[in-house]
Amino acid sequence: MIDAHAHFEFYKRDAPRMIEECREELKAVIDSITEYRKAHVWKSWELLKPYFGFVIPTLGYHPNEARRGNWEKVEKVENFIREHSEEIVAVGEIGLDYHYAENERQRENQRAIFRHFLELALELDLPVVIHAREAEREAFELVQRIGARAYFHSFSGSVELAKEIAENGHLIGINTGIVFIPEVKTAAEALEIENVLAETDAPYMSPVKGQRNTPCNVRVVIEEVAKLKGVDFEEVEGITEGNALEFFGLRI
């Protein structure tokens, strides 16, 4: 199994233990190392670097940080991405989150910084990991205009948009919220498995109320998709793994 999106760095001191536990069950975890508040990409990078190979890094700039419009920090993160562009498999997570953007100015900051990192990814010939919340259509349209290849992680938008995203060659992330978020389950039902990545977004989106999520719970996503599609667990596991290998260019 491969977890296509998680954040080991947010376990802080527990990160080494969690990584070793997950190594026993999973082939790899794509870790979206993202600039967000005090979670600086360079600090997270150093924490996770000893585990690279099993932990597969991306680098990005979270839209909830982007709403602040701190272009000095944007430049610092961009330079870090350029410095490590040969070691990462995507730029992300980046995107738009209008749930927390309090006004139009903050949304415009998000748009400008999102566009900036999409263009950087295109320049570096890397795919992108998209965070879109209450702005899924706008994020998709900008991805299309820029010409990036995208993975819309933790998708909870409309079925119509999910199908349009897939028809245009992008992938949709189905996370562990499939057991308690109707929109996630509906998207999983509507999409072909070939258009899907299985993810946890750990330590968030736990399928068990009151417990911290773990990348090992990607099994829950695969089980639920298998039930919805009426196929074996191994078939969903194989297809979603293949999707991750192809999208991120992994050699595992």
Side-chain angles (χ1 to χ4, degrees), residues 77-241:
V77 173
E78 177 186 345
N79 290 338
F80 192 82
I81 292 173
R82 289 184 181 278
E83 180 183 349
H84 297 284
S85 62
E86 298 297 321
E87 302 166 79
I88 61 175
V89 294
V91 172
E93 60 194 275
I94 56 175
L96 302 172
D97 191 324
Y98 289 171
H99 183 76
Y100 289 109
E102 297 172 355
N103 51 52
E104 182 57 29
R105 182 174 181 178
Q106 290 188 358
R107 292 184 177 192
E108 184 51 44
N109 288 337
Q110 286 188 355
R111 294 183 196 109
I113 292 172
F114 181 31
R115 189 180 304 111
H116 182 82
F117 282 105
L118 283 173
E119 291 171 347
L120 175 64
L122 204 64
E123 177 189 338
L124 298 176
D125 194 27
L126 287 168
V128 292
V129 180
I130 303 298
H131 172 114
R133 186 178 186 187
E134 298 179 17
E136 290 88 354
R137 166 64 65 180
E138 188 173 345
F140 167 64
E141 290 177 352
L142 187 52
V143 163
Q144 289 296 96
R145 283 200 296 273
I146 297 295
R149 184 162 185 241
Y151 156 35
F152 287 78
H153 110 85
S154 290
F155 185 83
S156 59
S158 71
V159 167
E160 293 75 20
L161 180 58
K163 290 180 177 179
E164 190 174 349
I165 288 170
E167 287 166 0
N168 280 276
H170 309 295
L171 291 176
I172 301 285
I174 301 298
N175 68 21
T176 36
I178 191 172
V179 300
F180 61 90
I181 301 175
E183 291 83 358
V184 176
K185 184 176 181 179
T186 301
E189 286 178 313
L191 294 167
E192 299 296 327
I193 305 171
E194 288 77 10
N195 302 128
V196 163
L197 291 176
E199 62 159 283
T200 64
D201 202 14
Y204 311 110
M205 293 292 174
S206 177
V208 181
K209 190 173 182 179
Q211 291 185 13
R212 185 169 60 174
N213 203 4
T214 165
C216 293
N217 283 333
V218 73
R219 173 178 293 277
V220 173
V221 178
I222 297 170
E223 288 172 345
E224 292 299 315
V225 172
K227 290 177 189 175
L228 290 172
K229 299 297 184 183
V231 299
D232 293 336
F233 177 95
E234 290 75 17
E235 181 175 347
V236 178
E237 179 185 25
I239 295 172
T240 55
E241 279 187 11

Side-chain angles (χ1 to χ4, degrees), residues 23-42:
R23 198 195 294 268
E24 295 178 6
E25 295 189 37
L26 306 180
K27 293 180 181 178
V29 175
I30 313 299
D31 194 293
S32 185
I33 300 174
T34 304
E35 185 70 18
Y36 184 35
R37 295 180 180 172
K38 294 181 180 179
H40 300 305
V41 291
W42 42 92

